[in-house]
Amino acid sequence: LDPASLDYRSYQNWRVLFKQQSQYDLIITNTFILYDDATQPFPHSIFTTCKVGGFSSKSPGLKALGSRGIMANTFGMDTRIPFFIDPLQGEVNRQQRNEIIGAFVLAHEMGHALFKLPDHYDHPDSCLMNNRFDISYAQGYKLLIDNPGPCPKCTAWINARSNFWDGEYFFEHKEYSRAIAAYMQAARTTPKNVDGSYQEYMAQIAYKLSKAWFALGDIRQARARAATAVKLYPWEKAYKDWQTEIEKNSQLNDEKRQ
């Protein structure tokens, strides 16, 4: 907790790091990280001494997890600082600690990154995405072991994300009509409460749809979807560049017809 190391203790600084780095899909640390994001006061952080146990964050330079990176923090289990010791945690040996990190903390963050699953506070004990502040990591892991099987309340997110991946598969194999159908289904069925920004995710789907319509030669649809992507998330340069490319191609086609 040395004041000279404050820059390493900021959640916001870690988020900036993930946006800039392009080497590590996963980072594990034992650092105390202060949750200093007042725009999203998650109860499981606010009511547990504002320490960060992990997160999934946008990382454009990474590809493996859909341009997202994962951080897992063992500070909550390792600390001996009285103020931060979780009274619910109890003692865990090295093997238990490793199991909790892998099958609970990391798996939870992968749920965010891969399936767009948000944190939940009222799901069944079998739900990996439960992030109740009244249970410790060890207790959360034990609940999963004692209640095996998928969480029925997470089905909507899983199915919607599967539709998106179907779209990616069909697009890669040049089955553009099927890709459009899958992307549209993903857009229709994705719950509004997702990990990250719902508008940003809908902009990404609109961009994918625009690309697929363009591949089919439908410039009108491609132009409309590109405009939607830019409107929903104007900070993404790739969307504006794609708009420009559509117009250039449209102009070239018009000149050829003349």
Side-chain angles (χ1 to χ4, degrees), residues 2-248:
D2 184 348
S5 300
L6 286 180
D7 286 346
Y8 302 100
R9 313 297 189 199
S10 165
Y11 169 73
Q12 295 287 35
N13 285 354
W14 274 80
R15 292 288 296 271
V16 171
L17 166 67
F18 269 80
K19 286 183 179 179
Q20 294 177 348
Q21 68 95 17
S22 59
Q23 294 183 328
Y24 307 107
D25 297 303
L26 164 66
I27 295 176
I28 298 179
T29 182
N30 61 358
T31 303
F32 167 66
I33 300 175
L34 175 69
Y35 187 75
D36 53 358
D37 183 0
T39 66
Q40 295 180 308
F42 293 117
H44 62 275
S45 292
I46 300 303
F47 291 105
T48 54
T49 63
C50 286
K51 64 180 182 292
V52 174
F55 62 79
S56 160
S57 186
K58 186 175 180 180
S59 198
L62 302 177
K63 302 301 179 187
L65 298 172
S67 297
R68 297 189 76 79
I70 290 174
M71 187 279 287
N73 195 347
T74 66
F75 176 82
M77 288 185 286
D78 295 341
T79 183
R80 292 296 178 263
I81 301 174
F83 179 76
F84 293 109
I85 293 176
D86 186 346
L88 300 174
Q89 181 65 49
E91 290 295 324
V92 294
N93 61 38
R94 180 176 292 275
Q95 180 178 341
Q96 292 171 325
R97 174 182 176 276
N98 291 342
E99 290 175 356
I100 293 168
I101 293 169
F104 186 68
V105 180
L106 285 180
H108 175 93
E109 299 306 332
M110 289 187 74
H112 289 317
L114 290 175
F115 296 103
K116 308 294 291 182
L117 285 160
D119 289 309
H120 291 293
Y121 303 93
D122 59 350
H123 277 204
D125 290 340
S126 62
C127 184
L128 176 65
M129 304 313 293
N130 269 335
N131 222 336
R132 291 159 37 196
F133 55 85
D134 60 340
I135 59 174
S136 67
Y137 290 156
Q139 290 171 322
Y141 177 58
K142 186 175 186 305
L143 285 175
L144 293 182
I145 298 300
D146 293 343
N147 298 275
C151 171
K153 287 190 173 184
C154 286
T155 301
W157 286 268
I158 303 298
N159 290 344
R161 192 63 170 157
S162 295
N163 288 323
F164 177 82
W165 286 330
D166 285 345
E168 296 284 82
Y169 175 86
F170 291 133
F171 187 92
E172 183 178 346
H173 288 79
K174 298 183 169 36
E175 298 183 51
Y176 299 117
S177 294
R178 297 181 74 182
I180 289 168
Y183 287 138
M184 289 292 292
Q185 185 67 3
R188 282 193 293 265
T189 58
T190 298
K192 287 186 168 54
N193 179 22
V194 297
D195 180 65
S197 164
Y198 176 79
Q199 282 194 209
E200 183 177 356
Y201 184 46
M202 289 299 106
Q204 182 188 14
I205 294 177
Y207 173 65
K208 300 281 186 176
L209 282 165
S210 178
K211 291 265 191 174
W213 280 115
F214 185 84
L216 288 176
D218 193 328
I219 300 299
R220 184 181 67 84
Q221 285 280 10
R223 185 183 285 127
R225 303 297 179 176
T228 298
V230 171
K231 180 180 179 180
L232 288 174
Y233 200 72
W235 302 277
E236 179 57 66
K237 183 177 181 295
Y239 301 162
K240 294 180 180 179
D241 290 345
W242 175 240
Q243 266 191 321
T244 302
E245 187 173 339
I246 291 173
E247 296 311 318
K248 283 182 179 178

